[in-house]
mmCIF file of all heavy atoms in Angstrom:
data_model
loop_
_atom_site.group_PDB
_atom_site.id
_atom_site.type_symbol
_atom_site.label_atom_id
_atom_site.label_comp_id
_atom_site.label_asym_id
_atom_site.label_seq_id
_atom_site.Cartn_x
_atom_site.Cartn_y
_atom_site.Cartn_z
ATOM 1 N N LEU I 101 -79.212 -119.672 8.753
ATOM 2 C CA LEU I 101 -78.883 -118.865 9.980
ATOM 3 C C LEU I 101 -78.817 -119.945 11.265
ATOM 4 O O LEU I 101 -77.863 -119.921 11.889
ATOM 5 C CB LEU I 101 -79.988 -117.879 10.243
ATOM 6 C CG LEU I 101 -79.704 -116.980 11.532
ATOM 7 C CD1 LEU I 101 -78.910 -115.798 11.185
ATOM 8 C CD2 LEU I 101 -81.068 -116.476 12.174
ATOM 9 N N ALA I 102 -79.857 -120.700 11.262
ATOM 10 C CA ALA I 102 -80.005 -121.721 12.453
ATOM 11 C C ALA I 102 -78.703 -122.623 12.382
ATOM 12 O O ALA I 102 -78.100 -122.896 13.418
ATOM 13 C CB ALA I 102 -81.242 -122.437 12.317
ATOM 14 N N ALA I 103 -78.367 -122.993 11.204
ATOM 15 C CA ALA I 103 -77.276 -124.053 11.037
ATOM 16 C C ALA I 103 -75.894 -123.348 11.401
ATOM 17 O O ALA I 103 -75.046 -124.092 11.702
ATOM 18 C CB ALA I 103 -77.252 -124.563 9.630
ATOM 19 N N ALA I 104 -75.878 -122.032 11.245
ATOM 20 C CA ALA I 104 -74.580 -121.345 11.542
ATOM 21 C C ALA I 104 -74.298 -121.025 12.964
ATOM 22 O O ALA I 104 -73.171 -120.680 13.313
ATOM 23 C CB ALA I 104 -74.546 -120.084 10.724
ATOM 24 N N ILE I 105 -75.226 -121.348 13.868
ATOM 25 C CA ILE I 105 -75.148 -120.975 15.280
ATOM 26 C C ILE I 105 -74.914 -122.271 16.091
ATOM 27 O O ILE I 105 -75.603 -123.225 15.869
ATOM 28 C CB ILE I 105 -76.382 -120.245 15.885
ATOM 29 C CG1 ILE I 105 -76.883 -119.121 14.911
ATOM 30 C CG2 ILE I 105 -76.113 -119.720 17.270
ATOM 31 C CD1 ILE I 105 -78.242 -118.659 15.143
ATOM 32 N N ARG I 106 -74.050 -122.089 17.115
ATOM 33 C CA ARG I 106 -73.691 -123.221 17.954
ATOM 34 C C ARG I 106 -74.818 -123.464 18.965
ATOM 35 O O ARG I 106 -75.214 -122.497 19.678
ATOM 36 C CB ARG I 106 -72.379 -122.918 18.612
ATOM 37 C CG ARG I 106 -71.730 -124.158 19.329
ATOM 38 C CD ARG I 106 -70.461 -123.757 19.908
ATOM 39 N NE ARG I 106 -70.508 -122.623 20.906
ATOM 40 C CZ ARG I 106 -69.933 -121.379 20.497
ATOM 41 N NH1 ARG I 106 -69.231 -121.248 19.547
ATOM 42 N NH2 ARG I 106 -69.991 -120.338 21.514
ATOM 43 N N PRO I 107 -75.428 -124.774 18.997
ATOM 44 C CA PRO I 107 -76.503 -124.841 19.986
ATOM 45 C C PRO I 107 -75.996 -124.876 21.405
ATOM 46 O O PRO I 107 -74.791 -125.223 21.625
ATOM 47 C CB PRO I 107 -77.008 -126.302 19.645
ATOM 48 C CG PRO I 107 -76.378 -126.650 18.368
ATOM 49 C CD PRO I 107 -75.135 -125.849 18.209
ATOM 50 N N PRO I 108 -76.877 -124.427 22.385
ATOM 51 C CA PRO I 108 -78.187 -123.953 22.216
ATOM 52 C C PRO I 108 -78.186 -122.511 21.569
ATOM 53 O O PRO I 108 -77.322 -121.698 22.030
ATOM 54 C CB PRO I 108 -78.699 -123.954 23.522
ATOM 55 C CG PRO I 108 -77.496 -123.956 24.389
ATOM 56 C CD PRO I 108 -76.430 -124.573 23.786
ATOM 57 N N ARG I 109 -78.991 -122.354 20.575
ATOM 58 C CA ARG I 109 -78.899 -121.098 19.726
ATOM 59 C C ARG I 109 -79.724 -119.882 20.259
ATOM 60 O O ARG I 109 -80.936 -120.042 20.275
ATOM 61 C CB ARG I 109 -79.397 -121.360 18.394
ATOM 62 C CG ARG I 109 -78.800 -122.694 17.750
ATOM 63 C CD ARG I 109 -79.450 -122.906 16.342
ATOM 64 N NE ARG I 109 -79.047 -124.035 15.735
ATOM 65 C CZ ARG I 109 -79.579 -125.267 15.931
ATOM 66 N NH1 ARG I 109 -80.633 -125.444 16.795
ATOM 67 N NH2 ARG I 109 -79.051 -126.339 15.308
ATOM 68 N N PRO I 110 -78.970 -118.881 20.559
ATOM 69 C CA PRO I 110 -79.736 -117.584 20.664
ATOM 70 C C PRO I 110 -79.887 -116.816 19.562
ATOM 71 O O PRO I 110 -78.985 -116.645 18.878
ATOM 72 C CB PRO I 110 -78.988 -116.741 21.780
ATOM 73 C CG PRO I 110 -77.619 -117.595 21.845
ATOM 74 C CD PRO I 110 -77.640 -118.622 20.835
ATOM 75 N N VAL I 111 -81.193 -116.402 19.168
ATOM 76 C CA VAL I 111 -81.407 -115.627 17.908
ATOM 77 C C VAL I 111 -82.121 -114.343 18.258
ATOM 78 O O VAL I 111 -83.222 -114.276 18.865
ATOM 79 C CB VAL I 111 -82.151 -116.418 16.934
ATOM 80 C CG1 VAL I 111 -82.382 -115.633 15.654
ATOM 81 C CG2 VAL I 111 -81.581 -117.839 16.568
ATOM 82 N N ILE I 112 -81.367 -113.207 17.996
ATOM 83 C CA ILE I 112 -82.005 -111.894 18.298
ATOM 84 C C ILE I 112 -82.850 -111.520 17.003
ATOM 85 O O ILE I 112 -82.384 -111.505 15.928
ATOM 86 C CB ILE I 112 -80.914 -110.856 18.476
ATOM 87 C CG1 ILE I 112 -80.122 -111.149 19.735
ATOM 88 C CG2 ILE I 112 -81.588 -109.457 18.523
ATOM 89 C CD1 ILE I 112 -78.952 -110.154 19.962
ATOM 90 N N VAL I 113 -84.168 -111.134 17.290
ATOM 91 C CA VAL I 113 -85.083 -110.711 16.275
ATOM 92 C C VAL I 113 -85.089 -109.208 16.328
ATOM 93 O O VAL I 113 -85.553 -108.689 17.441
ATOM 94 C CB VAL I 113 -86.371 -111.322 16.304
ATOM 95 C CG1 VAL I 113 -87.286 -110.806 15.219
ATOM 96 C CG2 VAL I 113 -86.186 -112.929 16.214
#
Side-chain angles (χ1 to χ4, degrees):
L101 178 88
I105 312 166
R106 192 176 54 247
R109 308 173 182 90
V111 181
I112 297 175
V113 177

